[in-house]
Amino acid sequence: MQTDFSNIKCIAFDLDFTVLTTGKYMTERTQAAFAKARERGMALLPVSGRAFPTFPADIQALEGMRYAVASNGAAVYEVRTGERIHQWLMEARDVRKIMRSVGNFFLEGQITYEACVNGELHASADYVRNPARYGMMKSAVSYIRETRKPERYIIDYIFENAGKMDGLDLILKDPGLYRMIANTIRRNVEDIHITSSVPCRLEMSSASAGKAAGMKYALELLQISPEETIAFGDGDNDADMLKAAGIGVALKNATDTCKESADFVTESIADEDGVAEFLERYIL
C-alpha cells in the first residue's frame, strides 16, 4: 500500500492496550515519540472508552493535548480546565428499554451493570468488591476498585439517573452471551450505539456517540480534518475511529474487527511499544 504520511497533523489514540501497557502505564519510548510529534507541530488527541476523570496522570499531563474524547465518544473535554465542552447523553426512554430487555439475565446472575453519569462511574457494590467474579482480568481489578463508586442497588440507581447517562455497560460473566444480549437490545431500542472494548463488556451510548463522532468533534475545534489524522486502537470500539481517520492503525494485539477496519497493523503489541515503533518508522 502506497500511503502519504506527510500531511498528518493529529495523532488520535486509544488508551488501554494501545498506548497504555497491560500494567496501565505509558512507556518512556511512547512518551518520547509523542514529545517528538509535538515538536513537529502535531496535536495529540486521546479517544478512550474511559471516563475522563479515570485517565491516568501521565496521559492528562501530556503537552500538546488540548482536548480529550471520553466515554466512547459520549463526552469531549478541554484538558487544561477539565471542563466538559460537549456531550451526547443517552435518552432516558432507551435506558429503561435496555434495562427491561436484559433484566432476566441479571436475575439469573449472568450480568451486572456499570453506569457513567457526568464522568463518574457507578457499579454494584458486589462487582466492585470482586470484579474477577464477573470475568474481569486480574490486571483490571485494582483499576475497577479505584474508579467505580459502589452502589448497593445499582438497578435503582440506573432508573433514577436514566436521563443523565453518558453510557451504560453490561459486564458479562459469560462473554458468549454478548451476541444474544446485543441482538435483544437492538430489537427493542432503535437509536443505540453498541460496542465493546473487551469481550466481557457490552458498552452502550447514544446513537450519536461513538469514538468516530467524538474524534470528529474535537478535530473541528482543532481545525484539523480527519484526513490529516492518524488514529491508533485495539478494540472493537476503536473500529469506527480507525475508519474515519485518514490513516487507521490497529495494534498487533487488536481484535479482528479492529484490524479489519485499519489501513495498517503494527508489528508489535502495546507492551512492546507498538504505537511508538510505528510513529518512528512512518511519521517522525
Side-chain angles (χ1 to χ4, degrees):
M1 180 191 304
Q2 193 71 28
T3 304
D4 181 11
F5 294 94
S6 63
N7 70 332
I8 296 300
K9 296 181 180 178
C10 179
I11 302 171
F13 54 92
D14 172 53
L15 299 187
D16 295 283
F17 309 114
T18 299
V19 300
L20 297 179
T21 67
T22 52
K24 306 297 182 186
Y25 66 91
M26 186 166 48
T27 67
E28 291 183 1
R29 184 178 179 186
T30 300
Q31 293 182 53
F34 280 159
K36 193 168 184 180
R38 292 194 306 271
E39 291 172 3
R40 299 195 174 188
M42 298 178 198
L44 302 179
L45 178 64
V47 184
S48 179
R50 289 187 181 219
F52 182 68
T54 72
F55 281 28
D58 56 353
I59 294 292
Q60 296 203 33
L62 280 174
E63 295 181 11
M65 196 173 72
R66 293 176 59 190
Y67 304 105
V69 180
S71 301
N72 277 329
V76 180
Y77 288 81
E78 204 281 327
V79 172
R80 184 180 59 82
T81 62
E83 178 186 359
R84 178 183 290 220
I85 57 176
H86 192 78
Q87 63 185 13
W88 291 275
L89 298 182
M90 298 179 74
E91 295 287 346
R93 65 174 183 274
D94 293 335
V95 172
R96 296 187 187 107
K97 287 179 181 178
I98 291 166
M99 296 301 291
R100 293 180 183 121
S101 297
V102 301
N104 288 337
F105 294 101
F106 181 86
L107 294 174
E108 294 168 3
Q110 296 297 309
I111 64 174
T112 189
Y113 307 95
E114 288 185 351
C116 186
V117 177
N118 195 30
E120 186 175 66
L121 289 161
H122 299 254
S124 70
D126 177 61
Y127 167 65
V128 176
R129 277 193 302 269
N130 188 10
R133 177 183 173 187
Y134 292 91
M136 281 296 171
M137 295 179 294
K138 188 176 181 179
S139 61
V141 169
S142 60
Y143 164 68
I144 290 169
R145 288 175 177 164
E146 292 167 1
T147 57
R148 272 61 173 172
K149 183 175 180 180
E151 299 290 342
R152 185 176 181 185
Y153 302 110
I154 186 62
I155 293 178
D156 290 347
Y157 179 84
I158 290 170
F159 275 101
E160 290 166 4
N161 293 275
K164 305 174 185 177
M165 295 173 56
D166 301 334
L168 174 63
D169 297 346
L170 304 187
I171 311 303
L172 310 177
K173 188 175 182 179
D174 176 7
L177 293 171
Y178 183 100
R179 186 182 298 275
M180 180 172 60
I181 293 177
N183 288 338
T184 298
I185 293 170
R186 289 190 179 101
R187 283 196 298 270
N188 290 282
V189 184
E190 293 182 4
D191 299 321
I192 193 76
H193 179 76
I194 298 178
T195 188
S196 178
S197 55
V198 292
C200 60
R201 297 178 66 92
L202 191 155
E203 303 165 14
M204 293 167 288
S205 54
S206 164
S208 299
K211 288 194 175 185
M215 179 185 73
K216 288 178 180 178
Y217 185 89
L219 288 175
E220 286 185 12
L221 297 177
L222 292 167
Q223 297 184 317
I224 296 173
S225 71
E227 292 73 26
E228 296 171 313
T229 301
I230 184 170
F232 293 88
D234 77 291
D236 287 5
N237 60 335
D238 297 310
D240 63 344
M241 174 176 72
L242 268 55
K243 287 181 179 178
I247 300 171
V249 184
L251 273 289
K252 183 179 179 180
N253 51 275
T255 65
D256 289 343
T257 297
C258 184
K259 289 177 179 177
E260 290 166 2
S261 302
D263 301 300
F264 294 90
V265 177
T266 65
E267 295 181 2
S268 302
I269 63 175
D271 284 1
E272 298 168 345
D273 299 305
V275 170
E277 184 179 88
F278 191 93
L279 290 174
E280 291 164 358
R281 180 174 181 182
Y282 294 106
I283 304 294
L284 303 177

